[in-house]
């Protein structure tokens, strides 16, 4: 049934005190797919991420990751299934160094005892160093995350996402605060990842979405308004009305 | 032997007005001449129903009745010896106390009881009704009937009716017995129940009716117990409500955790004491010191609150754990200041007369006046708080600032100013709570310590940010506590309530009246 | 250990300095009972009072370490750690009571005096086994640990954090205090336990026993410090710090934060219990007053004054504040509560990183 489906949202609704943040939302993301999600403010993009990652329980509907029902799991369980998330506002651990942030994110046993007995071996170090090179923070390895600039924080959080080695990456506004060249670098990175992993990118920056050049979903009022290539949705009359026309 | 008595009678006849020549004087015949004669005289005096017989028989019972050789009766009182008939001062020389034996004592007990029933002093009549109820004899029925017809004080009437019904139960004819059973069954008295149960063994013929009457009493007792438990619960709830209400504003609405809240309550109680002392010399105002203490306490603690918010708390916004520790330290210093200024011992607050005593509600439900007033007071203060938040400009701005600070600021509301006012408002309510609590708790420097944990549990249990939740939380915890008390004891009941509230909060971290939606997600 | 996790140089020097300072301090503590043996007239003589009061402070320092682990590292501000301390103390007290045997006032072979007085016919079931030292020591750790496990599990699972958790733990110790005040709990009610005679065959009123307890406490402090150090320097310690600063983010990385916090909380409660168990034979009494919420919050201020989130800070704070307390309560008793209150205010407003932060500021 779920052949060819990495992520499957079916009729998902979320109601806060009468306000429908998500309204019968359905979405399918295939393995290896790179999907962009756009939509005006309050369209339900972040709520959708919250539902997938277990932060918010849906009022109705199904959320399947492969065969697994995500609505019954907590955030940690979902993350361990292989779903990684980058937040709109980059969030990391300011009291830890860049290296330590990445070390925490590195895929490894997560229990207290395992963490207590954890030894940083050569393989793990190599992975962390490779990632630091990828995100351009090698020089800052020993700096506390709290003193990084906004753009560097974006990169660090992307780095943490990579360390988790997830099957599905949920990326919320990855290029806010980045320079043009950094934005290009990010687009290339995401495209590269997408071959092996599924990636869902929420973004406001349409140029960035165009640069990704893949399938686009437009959300409005908590449900899918339009879906297709960037050219297709940009020419969709309804999309122009609610979003692009403004 | 009879000769002196005749002389006495003659003397009496001459000395007293004609109308006094009645059962009383006649009844005195033979008193003190021998045990049997004395007992008979006592019986006659008891039956006379004459109020003058009462002091005489009391003197006899206490061994203060003296008899002179000529038969004149004297009473030794605190003020000296008096003639028993004329009350004139008399010489006790040569007089002998009238002696008692068991027969006389038995007669005295009955006679005193009967005489007291008609005494002009209500306390006497009350005591007599008790005595007659305890002695329970069918002979008393006519007497009690008569007394009941005369009696006007409701409480004594109730006791008389009980005694009458109990005495009827001892009568020989079944008709009378049944009347007694019915009357006892109509009361809600545990004593009547005991009498009925006792009678059941000896009256198998009317056992069914007795069972029925006992069941009726049981039902009424259960209702009364429930009503009293409910009142005690409401009373405890009102105390919790008062203590928690200020916290519901400072913690619930503003999110500032103030561990010195209990000390503000304590300051309110001490303000009550200061107002009372200040007005002591002004006779016109002195009786009103308690009502006057309410605004005074509000102002004092509100000022303390405003100073604390501006001086200290605002530097720690967004750091609740630090705020908690800091305010705890402030509370400690306030407590120690009061201890040094007023001493560690309890200060006495005088309750106004209208707050003293016990009120009897229908169904013999006893309600202490001060607790009733505090219950009413707490609801009034809750109403005023809700009104201040809902319907005033201050409340509107306060809600605006706590909900969307930046937008409120952009609309010209001075947010810092509002923080200080809101915190002062909540602290002022704590002070008012202190005025009320001074009536039922010891006014000492650690008055507040006992309330802080309860208050926080009430606010969190009810749902942070909801005054309705605080109301339900306070009364809910109060009533549960009082329901548990009879079978768990006061301390364990409190422990159970604490544990239950903790478990509840763990099941529903947002409390009873949880705020829902996106606001709660933050 | 490795370049990657090595701290910046200035920080490392400071840390080395602090550790060295702590080592010297422990050595000084270690020779105190020996100096006590010198004749009273000797200039280096240390009085009995100072030795016994220092023994108490060592126990407080262990409590401070345990609280620092929960608050400074995991962000769990427990206002009920005094309860774990007191439970450990009660477990030890039960052992000491059983050891009194027939030497009590009533001379009952088994029952402690207060039970004879209250008319107990036999030992309540939960007193069984406490005559054995290993069992009692197990309980010293297990009872506080179990309580922490239950309270922690329920709270952390329901995601009760911050001040809510603080109030909950405060209510916990308050409820325990009320319960322990009751006579029919079987823990001596108001009076608690006292009149202890011996421990492990040593009469408690001898100076040898006192020195023994002193050294036992010192060893326990060093061990607790090393355990905490091992914990906080591991990746587990970094997970705790991460939970303290952004718990939900840690969950999204796949860490079950409930179990991590629970592990720290239970371990912390056990250390607190150990501190209480060492404390009771030294002061010779345990009563329900130890559960008083004020005690727990006072322990918090030791950690805050020293500097939370640093182990040296917790130890430093416990000794500093208690030293101040001992001095002031005899020099100016009325002043002490003012000073303590002012410490709360001053530390939170002006010295959020405590004395250690102050020292760090000076060094850098």
């Amino acid at each position: 049934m779920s052949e060819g489906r990495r992520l499957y949202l079916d009729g998902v609704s979320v109601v806060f005190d009468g306000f429908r943040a998500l309204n019968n939302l359905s979405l399918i993301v295939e393995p290896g797919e790179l999907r962009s999600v756009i939509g005006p403010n309050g369209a339900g993009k972040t709520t959708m991420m919250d539902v997938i990652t277990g932060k918010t329980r849906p009022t109705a509907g199904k959320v399947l990751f492969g065969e697994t029902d995500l609505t019954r799991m907590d955030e940690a369980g979902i993350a361990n299934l292989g779903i990684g998330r980058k937040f709109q506002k980059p969030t990391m651990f300011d009291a830890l160094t860049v290296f330590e942030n990445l070390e925490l994110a590195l895929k490894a046993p997560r229990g207290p005892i395992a963490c207590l007995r954890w030894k940083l071996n050569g393989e793990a170090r190599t992975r962390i160093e490779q990632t630091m090179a990828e995100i351009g923070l090698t020089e800052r390895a020993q700096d506390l995350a709290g003193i990084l600039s906004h753009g560097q924080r974006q990169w660090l959080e992307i780095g943490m996402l990579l360390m988790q080695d997830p099957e599905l990456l949920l990326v919320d506004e990855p290029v806010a605060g980045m320079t043009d060249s950094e934005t290009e670098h990010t687009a290339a990175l995401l495209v590269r990842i997408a071959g092996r992993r599924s990636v869902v990118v929420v973004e406001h920056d349409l140029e960035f979405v165009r640069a990704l050049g893949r399938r686009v979903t437009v959300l409005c009022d908590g449900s899918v308004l339009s879906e297709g290539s960037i050219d297709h949705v940009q020419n969709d009359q309804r999309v122009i009305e609610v979003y692009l026309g403004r | 032997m009879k000769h002196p008595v005749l002389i006495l009678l003659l003397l009496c006849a001459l000395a007293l007005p004609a109308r006094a020549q009645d059962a009383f004087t006649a009844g005195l015949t033979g008193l003190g001449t021998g045990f049997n004669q004395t007992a008979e005289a006592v019986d006659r005096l008891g039956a006379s129903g004459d109020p003058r017989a009462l002091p005489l028989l009391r003197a006899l019972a206490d061994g203060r009745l003296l008899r002179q050789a000529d038969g004149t009766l004297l009473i030794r009182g605190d003020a000296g010896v008096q003639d028993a008939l004329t009350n004139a001062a008399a010489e006790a020389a040569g007089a002998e106390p009238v002696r008692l034996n068991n027969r006389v004592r038995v007669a005295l007990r009955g006679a005193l009881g009967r005489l007291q029933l008609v005494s002009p002093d209500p306390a006497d009549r009350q005591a007599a009704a008790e005595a007659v109820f305890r002695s329970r004899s069918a002979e008393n029925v006519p007497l009690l009937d008569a007394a009941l017809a005369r009696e006007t004080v409701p409480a004594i009437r109730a006791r008389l009716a009980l005694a009458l019904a109990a005495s009827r139960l001892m009568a020989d004819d079944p008709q009378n017995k049944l009347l007694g059973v019915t009357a006892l069954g109509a009361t809600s008295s545990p004593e009547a129940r005991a009498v009925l149960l006792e009678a059941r063994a000896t009256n198998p013929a009317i056992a069914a009716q007795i069972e029925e009457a006992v069941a009726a009493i049981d039902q009424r007792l259960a209702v009364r117990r429930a009503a009293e438990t409910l009142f005690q619960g409401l009373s405890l709830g009102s105390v919790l409500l008062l203590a928690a209400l200020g916290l519901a504003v400072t913690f619930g609405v503003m999110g500032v955790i103030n561990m010195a809240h209990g000390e503000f309550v304590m300051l309110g109680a001490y303000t009550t004491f200061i107002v009372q002392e200040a007005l002591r010399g002004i006779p016109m105002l002195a009786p009103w010191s308690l009502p006057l203490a309410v605004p005074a306490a509000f102002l004092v603690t509100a000022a303390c609150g405003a100073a604390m918010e501006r001086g200290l708390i605002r530097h720690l916004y967004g750091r609740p754990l630090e705020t908690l520790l800091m305010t705890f330290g402030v509370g400690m210093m306030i407590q120690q200041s009061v201890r040094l200024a007023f001493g560690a011992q309890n200060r006495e607050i005088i309750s106004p007369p209208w707050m003293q005593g016990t009120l009897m509600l229908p169904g013999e439900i006893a309600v202490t006046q001060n607790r009733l007033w505090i219950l009413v007071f707490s609801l009034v203060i809750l109403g005023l708080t809700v009104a201040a938040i809902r319907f005033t400009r201050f409340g509107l701005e306060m809600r605006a600032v706590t909900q969307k600070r930046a937008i409120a600021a952009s609309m010209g509301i001075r947010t810092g100013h509002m923080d200080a006012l809101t915190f002062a408002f909540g602290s002022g309510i704590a002070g008012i709570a202190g005025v009320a609590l001074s009536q039922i708790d010891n006014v000492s420097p650690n008055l507040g310590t006992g309330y802080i944990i309860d208050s926080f549990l009430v606010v969190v249990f009810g749902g942070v940010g909801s005054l309705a939740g605080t109301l339900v939380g306070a009364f809910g915890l109060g009533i549960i506590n009082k329901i548990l008390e009879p079978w768990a004891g006061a301390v364990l009941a409190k422990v159970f309530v604490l544990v239950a509230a903790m478990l509840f909060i763990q099941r529903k971290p947002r409390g009873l009246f949880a705020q829902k939606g996106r606001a709660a997600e933050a | 250990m490795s370049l990657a996790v090595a701290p910046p140089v200035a920080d490392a020097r400071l840390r080395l300095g602090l550790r060295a300072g702590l080592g010297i301090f422990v050595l000084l503590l270690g020779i105190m009972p020996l100096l006590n043996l010198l004749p009273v007239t000797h200039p280096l003589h240390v009085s009995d009072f100072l030795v016994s009061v220092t023994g108490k402070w060592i126990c407080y320092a262990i409590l401070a370490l345990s609280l620092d682990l929960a608050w400074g590292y995991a962000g769990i501000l427990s206002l009920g750690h005094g309860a774990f301390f007191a439970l450990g103390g009660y477990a030890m007290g039960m052992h000491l009571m059983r050891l009194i045997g027939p030497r009590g006032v009533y001379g009952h072979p088994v029952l402690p005096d207060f039970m004879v007085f209250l008319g107990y016919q036999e030992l309540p079931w939960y007193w069984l086994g406490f005559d054995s030292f290993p069992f009692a020591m197990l309980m010293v750790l297990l009872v506080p640990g179990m309580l922490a496990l239950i309270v922690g599990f329920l709270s952390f699972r329901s995601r009760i954090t911050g001040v809510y958790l603080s109030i909950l733990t405060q209510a916990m110790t308050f409820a325990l205090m009320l319960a322990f005040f009751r006579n029919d709990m079987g823990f001596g009610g108001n009076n608690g336990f006292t009149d202890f005679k011996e421990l492990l065959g040593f009469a408690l009123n001898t100076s040898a026993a006192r020195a023994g307890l002193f050294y036992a406490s010192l060893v326990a402090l060093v061990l607790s410090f090393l355990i905490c150090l091992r914990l906080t320097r591991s990746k587990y310690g970094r997970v705790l710090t991460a939970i303290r600063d952004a718990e939900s983010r840690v969950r999204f990385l796949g860490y079950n934060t409930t179990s991590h916090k629970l592990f720290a909380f239970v371990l912390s409660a056990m250390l607190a219990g150990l501190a209480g168990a060492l404390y009771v034979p030294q002061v010779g009494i345990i009563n329900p007053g130890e559960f008083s919420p004020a005690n727990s919050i006072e322990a918090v201020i030791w950690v805050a004054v020293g500097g939370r989130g640093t182990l040296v800070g917790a130890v430093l704070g416990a000794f500093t504040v208690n030293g101040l307390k001992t001095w002031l309560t005899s020099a100016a008793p009325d002043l002490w509560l003012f000073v303590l209150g002012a410490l709360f205010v001053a530390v939170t407003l002006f010295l959020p990183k405590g004395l250690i932060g102050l020292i760090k500021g000076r060094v850098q």
Side-chain angles (χ1 to χ4, degrees):
Chain A
M1 156 198 170
S2 71
E3 278 304 304
R5 286 170 191 168
R6 181 71 280 182
L7 179 70
Y8 177 41
L9 271 67
D10 185 14
V12 174
S13 293
V14 172
V15 182
F16 294 124
D17 253 350
F19 167 69
R20 295 187 92 82
L22 288 185
N23 189 6
N24 202 20
L25 173 74
S26 298
L27 185 79
I28 296 174
V29 177
E30 284 160 17
E33 185 186 349
L34 170 56
R35 171 75 59 93
S36 302
V37 176
I38 59 172
N41 274 333
K45 302 180 301 262
T46 300
T47 308
M48 181 189 82
M49 296 267 203
D50 286 348
V51 166
I52 298 168
T53 53
K55 189 179 176 201
T56 303
R57 296 241 176 277
T59 319
K62 271 197 295 193
V63 183
L64 294 180
F65 180 68
E67 295 285 341
T68 318
D69 180 3
L70 297 183
T71 57
R72 296 169 182 282
M73 304 180 71
D74 67 356
E75 297 96 315
I78 291 172
N80 282 332
L81 277 181
I83 297 182
R85 177 173 183 184
K86 196 205 90 58
F87 288 78
Q88 187 175 344
K89 179 170 173 263
T91 329
M92 59 222 44
F93 312 113
D94 294 350
L96 301 179
T97 63
V98 168
F99 188 96
E100 288 168 341
N101 266 287
L102 292 172
E103 186 194 16
L104 276 199
L106 176 68
K107 191 172 189 175
R110 298 299 208 210
I113 305 291
C115 292
L116 202 52
R117 302 171 74 166
W118 165 257
K119 282 264 192 305
L120 188 68
N121 58 24
E123 190 192 339
R125 178 189 304 283
T126 313
R127 276 213 55 200
I128 295 174
E129 280 165 358
Q130 278 172 355
T131 305
M132 285 196 297
E134 174 94 74
I135 59 178
L137 291 176
T138 308
E139 301 291 303
R140 314 290 309 256
Q142 296 311 323
D143 285 342
L144 294 182
I147 61 171
L148 297 181
S149 71
H150 185 73
Q152 286 168 325
R153 289 170 73 83
Q154 288 279 38
W155 278 115
L156 178 53
E157 211 186 15
I158 292 171
M160 287 166 73
L161 196 57
L162 297 176
M163 297 306 303
Q164 276 178 270
D165 195 18
E167 295 290 310
L168 169 67
L169 290 79
L170 304 172
V171 191
D172 206 345
E173 301 203 7
V175 295
M178 283 190 179
T179 62
D180 285 352
S181 68
E182 281 177 327
T183 304
E184 266 171 49
H185 183 116
T186 309
L189 181 67
L190 290 177
V191 169
R192 191 149 28 97
I193 294 167
R196 294 163 284 153
R197 318 279 179 217
S198 303
V199 181
V200 176
V201 182
V202 166
E203 192 45 82
H204 271 306
D205 184 346
L206 281 182
E207 281 314 304
F208 180 70
V209 172
R210 183 170 285 282
L212 291 177
R214 304 289 177 90
R215 203 174 170 81
V216 178
T217 299
V218 184
L219 289 192
C220 183
D221 293 335
S223 44
V224 175
L225 187 69
S226 179
E227 203 167 280
S229 70
I230 181 79
D231 290 324
H232 169 77
V233 300
Q234 267 185 321
N235 292 320
D236 187 321
Q237 201 55 41
R238 289 170 304 174
V239 176
I240 295 170
E241 266 169 37
V242 304
Y243 184 47
L244 304 167
R246 273 180 212 168
Chain B
M1 276 290 260
K2 286 194 176 164
H3 191 60
V5 182
L6 280 174
I7 294 172
L8 178 76
L9 278 174
L10 278 169
L11 282 173
C12 290
L14 291 172
L16 290 169
R19 62 163 190 82
Q21 185 58 23
D22 51 17
F24 172 61
T25 16
L28 288 171
T29 315
L31 195 63
T33 52
F35 289 128
N36 287 346
Q37 289 87 335
T38 305
E40 280 159 18
V42 166
D43 278 341
R44 279 197 302 279
L45 287 171
S48 75
D50 193 296
R52 286 170 296 172
L54 192 56
L56 188 123
L57 290 185
R58 276 198 184 135
L60 177 61
D62 299 346
R64 293 184 290 110
L65 188 70
L66 312 177
R67 188 173 189 275
Q68 270 179 337
D70 65 356
T72 314
L73 291 169
L74 305 174
I75 294 174
R76 195 206 315 273
D78 295 332
V81 179
Q82 291 177 326
D83 189 296
L85 288 175
T86 60
N87 290 341
E91 234 354 274
E96 298 260 332
V98 177
R99 291 187 303 150
L100 307 177
N101 70 353
N102 270 343
R103 194 186 150 201
V104 178
R105 284 195 195 93
V106 169
L108 259 178
R109 215 173 299 150
L112 276 173
R114 290 157 165 222
L115 281 174
Q116 279 178 334
L117 276 178
V118 294
S119 159
D121 181 356
D124 274 345
R125 299 204 298 277
Q126 174 93 36
E130 301 291 340
V132 177
F133 172 73
R134 266 195 302 278
S135 67
R136 284 210 300 285
S137 143
E139 289 168 30
N140 293 337
V141 170
L143 194 74
L144 284 165
D145 250 336
L148 192 58
R150 277 195 305 270
E151 189 55 66
T152 50
V153 180
I156 303 178
R157 277 189 71 88
R159 294 308 296 181
L160 283 174
L162 194 64
L164 176 61
S167 302
R168 281 223 161 100
L169 204 53
M170 310 305 285
D172 289 330
D173 67 305
Q175 198 64 37
N176 234 343
K177 267 190 207 283
L178 274 183
L179 269 175
V181 170
T182 319
L184 287 174
T187 66
S188 50
S189 145
E191 291 159 307
R193 186 177 182 275
V195 169
L196 282 168
L197 287 180
E198 201 179 291
R200 187 175 54 181
T202 50
N203 296 288
I206 52 167
Q209 284 90 334
I210 290 180
E211 290 290 346
E212 207 174 296
V214 169
I217 293 178
D218 281 345
Q219 197 186 350
R220 256 174 256 122
L221 281 179
V223 170
R224 186 212 292 180
R225 256 198 304 276
E228 281 179 351
T229 304
L230 181 70
F231 176 73
Q232 286 167 359
L234 287 174
S235 168
L236 179 61
S238 68
V239 169
L240 290 175
L241 176 63
L242 277 169
L245 199 54
L247 209 62
V249 173
T250 53
F251 179 54
V253 178
M254 290 181 81
V256 172
I257 182 145
N258 179 17
M259 296 297 278
H261 178 79
E263 273 59 49
F264 284 160
V265 173
M266 182 266 287
L267 282 181
Y270 271 90
T271 309
T272 315
F273 173 70
I274 293 170
V275 170
Q276 171 190 296
E277 294 305 301
L279 299 184
R280 199 180 272 282
I282 311 171
M284 211 174 68
L285 290 178
W288 300 102
S289 81
L290 194 67
L292 287 172
V294 173
F298 182 87
L299 290 177
V300 167
T301 50
C304 290
M308 185 166 152
E309 199 279 337
R310 283 294 88 181
L312 303 169
I313 291 175
R314 76 187 164 106
H315 301 295
L316 293 175
Y317 277 143
R319 288 157 65 194
L321 295 181
E322 275 85 350
T323 312
L324 184 156
L325 293 177
M326 193 273 289
T327 51
F328 187 86
V330 173
M332 214 174 229
M333 290 196 281
I334 294 178
Q335 205 181 99
Q336 184 67 358
S337 309
V338 170
R339 195 172 286 122
L340 290 184
F342 292 91
Q345 75 278 28
N346 296 341
R347 288 296 174 168
E348 196 196 353
I349 306 273
I350 300 151
S351 294
W354 43 269
M355 279 188 76
Q356 292 168 1
T358 306
L359 197 68
M360 272 295 177
L361 296 184
E364 292 181 47
I365 300 159
V367 165
T368 41
Q369 296 263 38
N370 58 355
R371 295 215 163 243
L372 189 64
W373 274 104
I374 288 173
L375 177 58
V376 173
F377 184 71
S378 70
L379 294 175
V380 169
I381 297 298
L382 174 73
L384 289 177
T385 308
V386 170
I389 294 176
R390 285 264 171 84
F391 304 121
T392 64
R393 177 85 202 164
F394 158 72
L396 183 69
E397 291 191 2
M398 179 181 118
R399 282 178 290 149
V401 170
T402 49
Q403 280 165 22
K404 281 276 181 286
R405 171 170 291 269
I407 292 175
S410 74
M411 293 172 73
I413 298 174
R414 287 153 66 198
T415 54
H417 194 71
M418 280 314 297
D419 287 335
L421 278 182
T422 310
F423 195 79
F425 179 62
S427 307
I429 296 173
I432 291 180
V435 179
L437 295 184
S438 75
Q439 294 298 311
I440 51 169
D441 204 338
N442 295 329
V443 178
S444 74
N446 39 13
L447 166 80
T449 332
Y451 292 102
I452 185 76
I453 291 176
D454 291 347
S455 306
F456 271 112
L457 281 185
V458 164
V459 173
V460 176
F461 178 74
V464 172
S466 158
L467 288 181
T470 305
L471 174 75
V472 175
F475 284 112
L477 290 183
I479 290 169
I480 293 169
N481 199 333
K482 287 297 172 184
I483 289 175
L484 287 176
E485 245 173 49
W487 60 271
V491 177
L492 213 52
K494 170 123 185 129
V495 173
F496 281 146
V497 168
L498 280 173
V499 172
M502 285 162 64
L503 287 176
F504 176 86
I505 290 166
Q506 275 157 339
R507 286 213 63 79
K508 283 189 81 171
R510 295 190 195 288
L512 277 175
F513 288 67
Q515 293 193 315
K516 294 189 196 103
R518 290 193 135 182
E521 293 285 311
Chain C
M1 43 179 180
S2 66
L3 172 113
V5 288
V9 182
D11 228 28
R13 271 222 312 270
L14 175 71
R15 195 168 296 176
L16 211 65
L18 286 175
R19 295 260 178 82
L22 192 70
I24 294 166
F25 184 62
V26 168
L27 277 180
L28 282 177
L29 288 178
I31 58 169
M32 272 181 76
L34 301 177
L35 295 180
N36 176 241
L37 297 177
L38 293 171
V40 182
T41 48
H42 195 280
L44 286 178
H45 173 80
V46 172
S47 69
D48 286 354
F49 171 75
L50 195 58
V51 173
S52 77
V53 91
T54 311
K56 267 168 61 181
W57 296 345
I58 294 175
C59 300
Y60 287 152
I62 300 174
L63 176 60
L65 271 179
S66 82
L67 194 56
D68 193 26
L69 185 64
W71 179 36
Y73 288 91
I76 306 163
L77 176 52
S78 162
L79 296 183
H81 254 53
F84 303 131
F85 182 84
L87 284 174
Y90 264 96
M92 175 57 110
M94 286 164 84
H95 177 60
L96 294 169
M97 288 306 268
R98 292 294 307 271
L99 292 186
I100 294 173
R103 282 169 293 181
V105 177
Y106 294 104
H108 194 284
V110 178
L111 294 186
D113 278 345
F114 77 88
M115 287 195 192
V116 180
F117 181 73
L118 291 173
Y120 279 69
Q121 291 306 309
E122 54 180 18
L123 216 54
W125 60 267
Y126 47 83
W127 274 75
L128 298 176
F130 273 94
D131 49 337
S132 141
F133 181 75
F135 177 83
M137 288 308 101
L138 196 65
M139 289 300 130
V140 159
L141 300 177
L142 277 189
V143 173
M146 283 306 290
L147 180 65
L149 188 71
I150 294 166
V151 172
F153 175 73
L154 292 173
S155 310
F156 303 150
R157 193 194 49 170
S158 315
R159 303 199 175 167
I160 294 172
T161 55
V163 291
Y164 291 84
L165 189 70
S166 304
I167 292 164
L168 218 60
T169 50
Q170 189 173 40
M172 172 192 83
T173 192
F174 186 62
L176 280 169
M177 179 176 75
L178 292 179
F180 271 75
F181 266 123
R182 287 164 45 88
N183 278 332
D184 45 7
M185 279 282 285
F187 296 112
N190 254 341
N191 302 322
F193 307 145
T194 187
D195 287 334
F196 307 131
K197 306 286 187 220
E198 60 163 62
L199 178 60
L200 292 171
F202 297 100
L204 282 172
N205 56 4
T206 60
S207 54
R210 281 201 297 272
L213 283 168
F214 184 97
Y215 283 121
S217 309
L218 195 58
V219 169
L221 175 63
V222 172
L223 282 179
S224 307
F225 190 89
L226 292 177
I227 291 172
C228 290
L229 194 68
R230 166 78 180 85
L231 228 62
T232 53
R233 295 280 168 265
S234 71
K235 184 171 137 190
Y236 175 69
R238 294 192 283 283
V239 174
L240 280 189
T241 320
I243 290 174
R244 178 192 71 194
D245 294 340
E247 181 169 356
S248 83
R249 189 67 183 87
V250 184
R251 279 198 212 105
F252 287 114
L253 283 183
Y255 290 92
N256 180 346
T257 56
T258 302
S259 63
H260 283 260
K261 286 163 83 174
L262 208 51
F263 187 84
F265 193 56
V266 170
L267 187 76
S268 166
M270 286 176 163
L271 285 182
L274 176 69
L278 289 162
Y279 176 83
V280 166
Q282 296 191 66
V283 295
I285 185 167
I286 173 84
N287 62 35
E290 289 296 334
F291 285 103
S292 143
N295 279 15
S296 297
I297 208 163
E298 209 176 307
V300 171
I301 210 64
W302 306 337
V303 180
V305 166
R308 70 191 140 106
T310 63
L311 299 174
V312 179
V315 176
L316 180 69
F319 277 95
T320 312
V321 178
N322 282 298
L324 193 64
K325 179 178 185 174
T326 304
W327 173 64
L328 259 186
T329 43
S330 69
D334 283 343
L335 219 58
W336 164 241
L337 285 178
F338 275 119
V339 171
L340 185 61
L343 267 181
F344 277 87
V345 177
V347 165
T348 46
L349 282 179
F350 307 117
L351 215 58
K353 292 191 172 141
L355 292 173
I356 293 293
L358 201 66
I359 298 170
K360 267 186 190 161
R362 278 285 155 80
V363 170
Q364 281 165 2

